[in-house]
Amino acid sequence: MQRHLAVGAVLWGILLGTASGQLERYAVAGSALLLPWYLGAMEALVEEGVVQPESMPGAGLSGGAVTAMLTCAGVRPMDQYQLLKGALVDCYESWDPKSGVFPCNGQLGSIEYEGFSTLYDPSSINSIAEKCSHVGIAFTEVDPNDPTMNTLTSTIVANHSTDEAILRDLISSSFLSCSSMSVPYFVNDGMATVDGGYSTTLSDLCGGNETSCLTIQVYYPNTTEAGPVCTTQDNVDAAVAGELVSQCLEVAGGTFNQSAKGPPPPAWANFTSTGDLPTSCPAGPSTFMPPGEADIYPGKYIPLNYSCFEWQCMAYIPYPDRLDDLFNLGQEEARAWVKANAGIHGLLKNASSNSADGSDDTRNEATSWAHGQTWCGFGAILLSLAILINI
């Protein structure tokens, strides 16, 4: 029995329908550890009535997929952030900078699995699948006949038949080779899969029709590349990930060791050798797919007080004293976008009167989230949200 419907970008666009001149859908790219920025942006967009998560088609990859699916499931982004913050602080405080790896390296898949499993409602099995069939999850299929892991196919999944299928597809969507687990790929329903960011663009998530699709990405202003496109501290071109990654760890007091390994994959992952693919680390696809230009991105309206190097390092290392700032910047940027675009798109029903610079973001909790969405406080979700890592 087919557990879900997996569709390519063209068919996904047909399923979503055609443009009507109004915002009809939304798409969220990957985030790495910059996920708090997405959660702040989504908090504002739902509050302003731009995104109606219970009914508006959406799609995401990696951190964007987590944001879209959990928001649809009824977990308020503010609550997601508070729980995520606790998980990231724990990761940072328990991290050994001399280990050669980033916080939570090799553990992200397990963190996500254990956390998302708490969403299951024993009285209504597969309730999330029933509620959120309009939310697509993008991941990358790896050709099992290519040992270089560079023959990739973008897949967008909708209409899941079970909550368990949603969980495994979210793990696939956010699976960074040898970082989410200490293996090169995640075996999902017999397929070798990795992060959606290796193959999927915002245009794919929009079904090829950006006219009616609100696009959101967290990359540094004026950059549309995925991954490290910044210069290093010495202003050396760091298009090759290794050099910038190494410097980020050095600034944090650590060292980078590409051969360093985390714990073995857990039993539930059922990791098995697939075709001619490598089974040990380091291994994985060479590069990420540039997500493309977005409607909402950091620094478009609200100035950033971080250099490109600092911003990219925050995608790898969850500095506890910067997490609130990330969330607030996401909120302010999204509200500034709403103000600048009020009246242009038909779905902006509750355009904020806040200043475009985001200086007035005081909200009345008694009236927030008055868009027919029921929000639930899933305490243990803090684990599921540490998945984050799509560069």
Side-chain angles (χ1 to χ4, degrees), residues 374-390:
T374 301
W375 298 96
C376 309
F378 297 102
I381 274 189
L382 66 92
L383 297 175
S384 74
L385 295 173
I387 146 192
L388 348 156
I389 214 166
N390 159 38

Side-chain angles (χ1 to χ4, degrees), residues 28-48:
V28 192
S31 63
L33 300 186
L34 294 168
L35 181 55
W37 190 93
Y38 277 155
L39 297 175
M42 188 62 73
E43 170 86 3
L45 292 172
V46 176
E47 189 173 79
E48 299 287 358

Side-chain angles (χ1 to χ4, degrees), residues 2 22 41 45 51 75 88 104 126 129 132 153 159 172 241 251 258 261 268 297-298 311 341 345 352 370 388:
Q2 188 180 37
Q22 298 182 348
L45 292 172
V51 172
V75 188
L88 293 183
C104 287
N126 302 325
C132 299
T153 301
N159 296 330
S172 290
V251 169
Q258 190 176 21
K261 297 180 180 180
W268 61 261
Y297 57 84
W311 190 260
N341 290 273
H345 300 289
S352 171
L388 348 156

Side-chain angles (χ1 to χ4, degrees), residues 228-252:
V229 295
C230 311
T231 58
T232 66
Q233 282 192 308
D234 302 322
N235 293 320
V236 175
D237 184 1
V240 178
E243 185 174 357
L244 187 140
V245 169
S246 178
Q247 286 208 2
C248 286
L249 278 172
E250 289 175 8
V251 169

